[in-house]
């Protein structure tokens, strides 16, 4: 689920643990699982260091983050994005290739998250996970992975492999 701060995250985490306990008790089995949330708003980017320590993974939902950072609706871009690209207002449709300003929010969120939880698995989710340029950028800034819609998985997989071959990240003590 999308969250904006630690109190909301703690409530989500407890709800997930409660549901898992109920299923485990009802079925008499132990279910291995990990808990994570979506970071999709500027508020979540600015507070992620307060809650990443409570989680095993974070997904940076770049579709919604793009909408909230740039204050444009993905549903409306068909009416004006072509003109924006033509007149140089944007370099590319920010819902097809990572916008430079949105990139700074992803970088900030990653730095803040790893500051309080060096082991948290962080990935980008959304349609940009199927854009080779965006996948390369996510790799270069240190994300652990991407997810994408099913029809974009082949492109995403190839782009991730190429990103790793083109510029392998140096392993750190934390990862």
């Amino acid at each position: 689920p999308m969250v904006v701060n630690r109190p909301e995250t703690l409530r989500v985490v407890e709800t997930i643990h409660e549901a898992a306990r109920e299923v485990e008790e009802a079925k008499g089995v132990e279910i291995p699982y990990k808990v994570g949330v979506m970071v999709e708003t500027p508020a979540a980017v600015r507070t992620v260091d307060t809650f990443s320590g409570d989680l095993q993974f974070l997904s940076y939902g770049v579709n919604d983050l793009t909408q909230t950072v740039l204050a444009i609706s993905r549903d409306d871009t068909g009416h004006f994005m072509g003109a924006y690209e033509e007149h140089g207002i944007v370099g590319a449709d920010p819902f097809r290739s990572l916008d430079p300003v949105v990139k700074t929010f992803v970088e900030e969120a990653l730095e803040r998250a790893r500051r309080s939880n060096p082991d948290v698995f962080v990935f980008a989710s959304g349609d940009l996970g199927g854009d080779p340029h965006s996948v390369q950028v996510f790799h270069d800034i240190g994300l652990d992975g991407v997810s994408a819609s099913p029809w974009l998985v082949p492109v995403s997989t190839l782009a991730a492999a190429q990103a790793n071959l083109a510029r392998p990240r140096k392993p750190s003590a934390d990862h």
Side-chain angles (χ1 to χ4, degrees):
M2 178 179 79
V3 299
V4 296
N5 60 25
R6 187 161 194 255
E8 184 177 27
T9 301
L10 293 176
R11 181 67 189 120
V12 165
V13 168
E14 184 54 34
T15 300
I16 292 168
H17 290 316
E18 286 174 16
R21 279 192 298 272
E22 288 175 15
V23 171
E24 289 175 338
E25 289 173 10
K27 299 295 180 183
V29 296
E30 184 177 323
I31 302 170
Y33 65 96
K34 296 179 181 182
V35 179
V37 297
M38 300 288 291
V39 174
E40 299 178 287
T41 66
V45 167
R46 293 288 164 86
T47 62
V48 69
D49 54 323
T50 67
F51 59 81
S52 66
D54 301 303
L55 305 165
Q56 288 80 50
F57 68 90
L58 294 166
S59 174
Y60 296 158
V62 290
N63 293 341
D64 287 337
L65 188 59
T66 298
Q67 288 188 127
T68 59
V69 167
L70 300 179
I72 57 175
S73 169
R74 183 169 64 165
D75 297 335
D76 297 335
T77 59
H79 301 292
F80 63 86
M81 194 53 65
Y84 270 40
E85 289 179 79
E86 181 182 323
H87 295 290
I89 297 169
V90 297
D93 180 338
F95 296 104
R96 297 188 193 275
S97 189
L98 185 64
D99 179 83
V101 174
V102 176
K103 175 188 174 207
T104 66
F105 277 78
V106 173
E107 288 173 315
E108 179 182 341
L110 179 64
E111 188 276 323
R112 287 176 178 267
R114 292 248 166 92
R115 182 184 324 146
S116 62
N117 184 355
D119 296 322
V120 68
F121 185 88
V122 181
F123 63 98
S125 62
D127 292 340
L128 297 186
D131 170 52
H133 169 75
S134 300
V135 171
Q136 182 67 59
V137 173
F138 293 140
H139 172 78
D140 290 348
I141 64 177
L143 296 189
D144 297 308
V146 297
S147 70
S149 300
W151 57 89
L152 294 173
V153 168
V155 173
S156 179
T157 302
L158 179 60
Q162 290 173 333
N164 195 45
L165 289 172
R167 292 188 276 270
R169 282 198 315 251
K170 295 177 185 162
S172 69
D174 299 331
H175 289 82

